[in-house]
Structure formats: structure tokens, C-alpha cells
């Protein structure tokens, strides 16, 4: 179960690196606009805010990778903390921006938490 939990944590970390790239570097490009349903004008007007969001997603990824690096015993609290951060951010995003964020962020974080607690 520990291996499954760590795989899920790692995948969530990779997902947040991908979100960082989309928000910080591709926001105004076709891939970024498509991912977030932005027009050219909307993307241009919100690029600084998106870059800030991307940076926060990078911090989430870094925390998850840090927890993995620390190992099962020492990293458990770190992984739980950052998964809870992802879960709360996803719930807030789903409530305020797009319901699909619930399935992209919150559901995987909840699965990761469940696996960690079962391991």
C-alpha cells in the first residue's frame, strides 16, 4: 500500500509541475488558453495572476517531492500536509472557478491521503 500511496503522491506532484508550466509559461500560448478556456484577451489581461498561481502550484509539487524524498516514516507528515493543501485548493477552485478542478486536484489528493493513511 505504501508503494501505491507514493506513486499517487508522485503523480500529483508531476501534475502540479505541469500546471506550473501551463500557468507560468504557456498561459498565453494555445495550449495554456485551451487548458483554461481563455481567449487571447483574457489570457493577456490575467497573465501575471496566472504566473502567481503557477508559482504556488510549484510549491505544492516541491512539498510533495520533499515528502517522497524523506521516505515513508519521516515524510508522512509532509506528504499529508501538502496533499491537504492540494485538496483545499482544489475545493476552493471547484467552488469559485471550475467544477472540473474538483476532479483534477481534489479527488486525486483525497485518494492519495486515503492511501497514505491505509499504508
Amino acid at each position: 500500500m505504501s508503494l501505491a500511496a507514493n506513486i499517487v503522491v508522485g503523480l500529483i506532484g508531476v501534475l502540479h509541475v505541469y500546471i506550473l508550466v501551463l500557468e507560468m509559461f504557456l498561459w498565453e500560448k494555445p495550449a495554456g488558453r485551451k487548458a483554461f478556456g481563455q481567449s487571447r484577451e483574457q489570457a493577456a489581461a490575467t497573465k501575471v495572476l496566472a504566473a502567481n498561481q503557477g508559482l504556488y502550484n510549484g510549491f505544492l509539487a516541491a512539498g510533495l517531492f520533499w515528502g517522497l524524498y524523506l521516505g515513508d516514516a519521516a515524510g508522512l507528515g509532509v506528504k499529508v500536509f501538502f496533499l491537504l493543501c492540494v485538496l483545499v485548493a482544489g475545493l476552493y477552485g471547484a467552488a469559485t472557478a471550475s467544477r472540473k478542478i474538483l476532479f483534477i486536484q481534489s479527488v486525486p489528493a483525497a485518494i492519495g491521503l486515503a492511501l497514505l493513511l491505509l499504508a
Side-chain angles (χ1 to χ4, degrees):
M1 192 66 72
S2 176
L3 177 62
N6 286 331
I7 288 171
V8 170
V9 169
L11 290 173
I12 294 169
V14 169
L15 171 66
H16 281 80
V17 169
Y18 176 67
I19 295 170
L20 171 148
V21 170
L22 283 173
E23 291 177 338
M24 292 189 80
F25 305 110
L26 302 177
W27 187 255
E28 292 186 273
K29 307 282 190 257
R33 290 197 323 268
K34 181 180 178 187
F36 296 99
Q38 299 284 320
S39 69
R40 225 178 264 264
E41 296 77 22
Q42 289 171 317
T46 59
K47 69 180 181 181
V48 173
L49 295 172
N52 190 281
Q53 285 179 185
L55 185 61
Y56 284 99
N57 278 292
F59 291 141
L60 293 173
L64 293 170
F65 294 139
W66 177 38
L68 289 171
Y69 173 77
L70 291 174
D72 288 337
L76 178 63
V78 174
K79 290 182 276 191
V80 168
F81 173 79
F82 281 96
L83 284 174
L84 285 170
C85 290
V86 170
L87 178 67
V88 170
L91 291 172
Y92 185 79
T96 60
S98 170
R99 183 168 287 166
K100 76 177 186 177
I101 295 172
L102 181 71
F103 302 103
I104 293 171
Q105 263 186 285
S106 295
V107 170
I111 292 169
L113 283 166
L115 289 171
L116 280 175
L117 297 176
L118 290 171

